[in-house]
Amino acid sequence: MLQVPEYVSIVFSLTTFFSIYFFYRASQNSKTVFLLLLAWTIVQALLAFSGFFSNTGSMPPRLIFGLLPTLIGIAVLFTIPSGKQFLKSLSSTHLLFIHTLRLPVELVLYWLSLYKVVPVIMTFEGANYDIFSGISAIVILLLMLRKNPVSKTLLVVWNLICLALLATIVGIAVLSAPFPFQQLAFDQPNIAVLYFPFVWLPTVVVPLVLLAHLSTLYQLLNKTK
């Protein structure tokens, strides 16, 4: 177990469950979606509690078993007709709510860096600029809720920029983890994501954020006037 204050775990756990809730709402309150996400979240928690992910010497790293299935699932959605229909049916407003949760994620990463379980480079004090995504998502969401038009071009560009920021921090996180191919932060490696509840960051929150971006872009690029 990590030696971090309880409030850090509570804030992150709430962030994870709100991510699931907002995606559930985006899916038009699909019980199937909710149950699948809940089951996946519980499985990842059990694996973390068992110490499965904390064995960092194996190749490939065991954390890939928490991330790869989600990436395969996302790819499947974009390749089968029912998956494409599902993507089109998602509520863009509730998908934006998911991106606002990147603010508490950034706060949690900062707290974790203070307790030496993630490197500073993974925070807004280092090379993580994903806080822009959370702040700008709130601005866009407020405009949409007030019925102010937001141009399709702006939304496409915003999603692409935020995807790039997401890819950047994911890359930093992977290269900072204590895996055989670690390249960064040897003095303070990224170990928090190997333990409960922070394992939900790469296995639940990040995949939902990624899917929220990709599905929004899919809707925008296939939108007819």
Side-chain angles (χ1 to χ4, degrees), residues 40 64 66-77 202 206-207 210 214:
W40 178 250
I64 197 171
L67 181 59
L68 188 58
T70 64
L71 297 179
I72 293 173
I74 291 172
V76 169
L77 287 176
V206 167
L210 174 62
L214 294 179

Side-chain angles (χ1 to χ4, degrees), residues 32-220:
T32 300
V33 167
F34 178 75
L35 291 175
L36 282 174
L37 289 175
L38 185 61
W40 178 250
T41 302
I42 292 172
V43 167
Q44 298 310 306
L46 292 174
L47 288 174
F49 273 124
S50 73
F52 177 78
F53 296 120
S54 58
N55 182 344
T56 58
S58 62
M59 278 297 291
R62 291 184 175 185
L63 194 58
I64 197 171
F65 297 107
L67 181 59
L68 188 58
T70 64
L71 297 179
I72 293 173
I74 291 172
V76 169
L77 287 176
F78 282 89
T79 55
I80 62 176
S82 58
K84 294 178 182 179
Q85 189 60 41
F86 172 75
L87 295 172
K88 290 179 181 178
S89 71
L90 293 173
S91 163
S92 58
T93 301
H94 285 101
L95 292 177
L96 263 174
F97 272 109
I98 293 175
H99 297 306
T100 66
L101 296 173
R102 289 154 90 162
L103 277 178
V105 167
E106 293 304 307
L107 182 59
V108 167
L109 287 175
Y110 174 72
W111 287 334
L112 291 175
S113 74
L114 296 180
Y115 289 91
K116 311 298 183 183
V117 290
V118 302
V120 175
I121 195 175
M122 282 180 58
T123 73
F124 50 74
E125 285 194 331
N128 182 359
Y129 304 108
D130 199 52
I131 193 170
F132 162 82
S133 305
I135 295 172
S136 54
I138 294 174
V139 174
I140 294 175
L141 184 60
L142 289 174
L143 290 174
M144 292 177 66
L145 292 176
R146 293 179 180 180
K147 308 300 182 183
N148 292 319
V150 181
S151 75
K152 172 182 173 180
T153 301
L154 175 62
L155 289 174
V156 169
V157 171
W158 179 81
N159 276 279
L160 291 174
I161 290 174
C162 293
L163 266 177
L165 293 176
L166 179 66
T168 299
I169 181 54
V170 168
I172 292 172
V174 170
L175 294 177
S176 299
F179 300 141
F181 50 79
Q182 181 180 0
Q183 298 294 318
L184 302 170
F186 290 98
D187 58 332
Q188 186 178 323
N190 170 25
I191 62 170
V193 296
L194 305 176
Y195 298 90
F196 176 84
F198 308 106
V199 69
W200 287 335
L201 181 57
T203 63
V204 179
V205 177
V206 167
L208 286 177
V209 169
L210 174 62
L211 181 54
H213 276 311
L214 294 179
S215 57
T216 299
L217 284 169
Y218 183 76
Q219 291 179 6
L220 290 169

